[in-house]
Amino acid sequence: MKKISYKRRILRMLIAVEALILLFSVLMLLKSNQQICEFFASTFARAWIFLFGNLFGWIPISFYELFLIAAIVGGVTLVVLIIVFLCKMQWRRLLSAALITAVTVLSFLNIYIATASFSYGRNPLPDEVYTEYNGDDLTFEQAVELADNLVNRGNAAYRATEHDAEGNIVYPYSFREMSKKIAKEYERLESDYFSPYTPSAKRIINKTIMSELHIVGVFFAPFGEANINGYETNLYLPHTMAHEMAHGKGVMREYEADLLAYYILLTSENPYLSYGAIVKCMYSAISIVGLYPNSQQAVTALYEKIDNGITEERNNYSKFYGKFTLLEDIGEFFNDLYLKLNKQENGTGSYFKPGEVTGTGQKDDDGKEIVQIINFSATQNLLIKLYKEARLY
């Protein structure tokens, strides 16, 4: 077998690097066009996630986690090799190592842009699951009824689910069973905006590091995997799963993945799946009431109506993750940077889309300024939509 000369091998790698840089530049330019983003999200990215999700989905271990470990080990090894090559003045090996690294990194970046980044710039969620409203679309009486319905449903879900001695929910399903149940709920979606494929959820083994970074879930498009923190076994587990699985259905913007997860779980008849989503949303529902004048009494009554067990369980969750503070700022920094690189200008603030109100300069009987509701927050809009469709009872 004829051996390829060093110069020819270097030339081939240089050509590969130049081609990958050109492809990267083209993809970055295309990302600025919403229709191109929509095309990539609904074709190439959807097909890739379907293929690799099915390829790796049946295996319980997280290939994303293995990839991270390999990347860290590879990075450390590369630094050591560079130092050795420099000390020994082995310039040929140094150049080869640099070019191999460039080809590897650029290949990964191009795959990630095509499978995930384009989806951040696609069209908004369809009307099937989301509609926006303003203050004229909901009366104070309707707002109170909406919140009251959700609080009642939350209390009922709490009583319908099993809890341990500390007040935390005990699921009757295994992790894999819950993943399949949520995937089944996603089958109710009708719009072709969403991929018909729903990825499986996988549990991360290195849960302590993930918790220190304050990360409860990660969707990794190149492997089509929805990865969940190994500690995430609390009342919010179904929502965390549904959120990461929503990314796999083509919904990459964080607040929209949250909305889709809420929509799927709030409209589920299974109390073990809906309970955590209801708990997350009932406080947003009460905040709707608080936007109206002379609402303090109603708000207080709604808070007092919430079962004490729900409050205790929420406190348990906060206390548990409150123990992890070592790497919190690092996790926040990199997540914020990642989202901004994907044109989410608010970074980690993009997990929530706030509403907009304007002050009138007048005070109500409670001494609070009366405001005009220009639009509600994203979560509030979803709740209003479900209320108007009589789906919050």
Side-chain angles (χ1 to χ4, degrees):
M1 184 176 180
K2 188 176 180 181
K3 188 176 180 180
I4 301 175
S5 68
Y6 172 78
K7 288 184 179 180
R8 183 171 294 182
R9 188 168 68 252
I10 292 298
L11 179 61
R12 288 182 178 181
M13 285 195 287
L14 282 171
I15 292 173
V17 169
E18 290 175 355
L20 288 168
I21 290 174
L22 177 61
L23 177 59
F24 176 80
S25 302
V26 171
L27 291 176
M28 291 298 289
L29 287 173
L30 293 176
K31 276 176 59 179
S32 61
N33 185 291
Q34 187 178 54
Q35 295 312 309
I36 292 177
C37 286
E38 184 65 35
F39 173 77
F40 262 89
S42 59
T43 54
F44 181 82
R46 183 173 294 185
W48 182 287
I49 291 170
F50 172 82
L51 175 62
F52 284 89
N54 277 292
L55 185 63
F56 297 124
W58 64 275
I59 303 174
I61 62 173
S62 167
F63 283 87
Y64 161 75
E65 187 171 17
L66 295 178
F67 170 81
L68 277 185
I69 294 172
I72 293 170
V73 172
V76 172
T77 303
L78 178 63
V79 170
V80 172
L81 286 175
I82 289 174
I83 294 173
V84 171
F85 293 154
L86 285 172
C87 291
K88 294 184 176 182
M89 292 185 290
Q90 296 177 333
W91 309 120
R92 286 190 171 192
R93 288 190 173 184
L94 181 62
L95 179 57
S96 294
L99 289 175
I100 291 172
T101 302
V103 168
T104 302
V105 172
L106 286 168
S107 297
F108 169 76
L109 287 176
N110 286 331
I111 290 172
Y112 196 85
I113 291 171
T115 58
S117 295
F118 273 106
S119 296
Y120 281 98
R122 68 182 307 199
N123 298 332
L125 287 174
D127 291 338
E128 178 187 355
V129 300
Y130 185 69
T131 305
E132 295 193 344
Y133 301 94
N134 60 50
D136 294 331
D137 297 316
L138 192 75
T139 67
F140 172 68
E141 291 74 22
Q142 289 174 322
V144 173
E145 184 180 36
L146 183 163
D148 190 59
N149 288 345
L150 202 57
V151 170
N152 288 337
R153 191 174 169 198
N155 290 340
Y158 174 76
R159 291 189 291 269
T161 51
E162 182 182 351
H163 292 73
D164 61 22
E166 296 180 352
N168 298 316
I169 190 168
V170 178
Y171 294 106
Y173 320 117
S174 68
F175 187 89
R176 195 167 186 83
E177 286 172 341
M178 183 174 291
S179 174
K180 290 180 178 180
K181 286 184 177 295
I182 294 174
K184 187 69 176 177
E185 296 286 349
Y186 268 117
E187 292 179 6
R188 292 188 279 109
L189 293 174
E190 297 178 356
S191 173
D192 59 6
Y193 178 92
F194 307 107
S195 169
Y197 171 71
T198 304
S200 301
K202 294 185 177 182
R203 194 188 293 280
I204 293 288
I205 296 174
N206 291 289
K207 53 191 177 184
T208 301
I209 295 176
M210 204 169 182
S211 297
E212 290 288 359
L213 291 168
H214 277 223
I215 298 174
V216 295
V218 175
F219 176 73
F220 194 60
F223 293 157
E225 288 183 334
N227 301 278
I228 311 299
N229 186 331
Y231 279 134
E232 193 73 352
T233 57
N234 50 71
L235 75 163
Y236 298 139
L237 174 60
H239 180 263
T240 302
M241 278 189 174
H243 175 103
E244 301 307 333
M245 293 160 87
H247 288 320
K249 297 189 76 66
V251 183
M252 287 301 292
R253 287 187 289 267
E254 296 296 345
Y255 82 91
E256 289 187 335
D258 249 6
L259 290 175
L260 183 57
Y262 285 143
Y263 176 85
I264 285 298
L265 298 179
L266 290 174
T267 56
S268 171
E269 295 181 358
N270 186 325
Y272 281 97
L273 299 185
S274 63
Y275 173 59
I278 296 170
V279 171
K280 272 180 170 280
C281 289
M282 65 168 59
Y283 296 92
S284 292
I286 296 175
S287 69
I288 296 176
V289 178
L291 293 173
Y292 293 83
N294 304 318
S295 59
Q296 188 56 53
Q297 184 176 354
V299 168
T300 301
L302 286 165
Y303 276 120
E304 290 177 347
K305 195 173 185 179
I306 297 173
D307 194 295
N308 290 334
I310 295 176
T311 303
E312 179 183 1
E313 193 163 8
R314 290 181 74 242
N315 290 337
N316 289 344
Y317 178 85
S318 298
K319 287 177 183 177
F320 178 79
Y321 277 104
K323 298 184 299 184
F324 300 101
T325 58
L326 184 62
L327 304 175
E328 179 181 1
D329 291 340
I330 296 176
E332 173 76 14
F333 172 79
F334 281 108
N335 193 20
D336 185 73
L337 178 62
Y338 164 76
L339 290 169
K340 286 179 178 177
L341 287 174
N342 282 287
K343 295 189 175 181
Q344 305 303 293
E345 296 179 358
N346 294 327
T348 51
S350 64
Y351 281 84
F352 177 74
K353 184 179 179 182
E356 182 183 358
V357 299
T358 58
T360 62
Q362 299 176 318
K363 301 282 186 177
D364 64 10
D365 295 338
D366 299 322
K368 182 182 66 176
E369 183 179 19
I370 299 174
V371 298
Q372 179 184 0
I373 305 170
I374 306 302
N375 53 62
F376 292 95
S377 74
T379 304
Q380 291 170 343
N381 279 324
L382 174 66
L383 295 177
I384 294 169
K385 176 182 178 64
L386 294 177
Y387 166 77
K388 287 180 175 292
E389 295 174 354
R391 302 176 75 180
L392 283 185
Y393 293 95

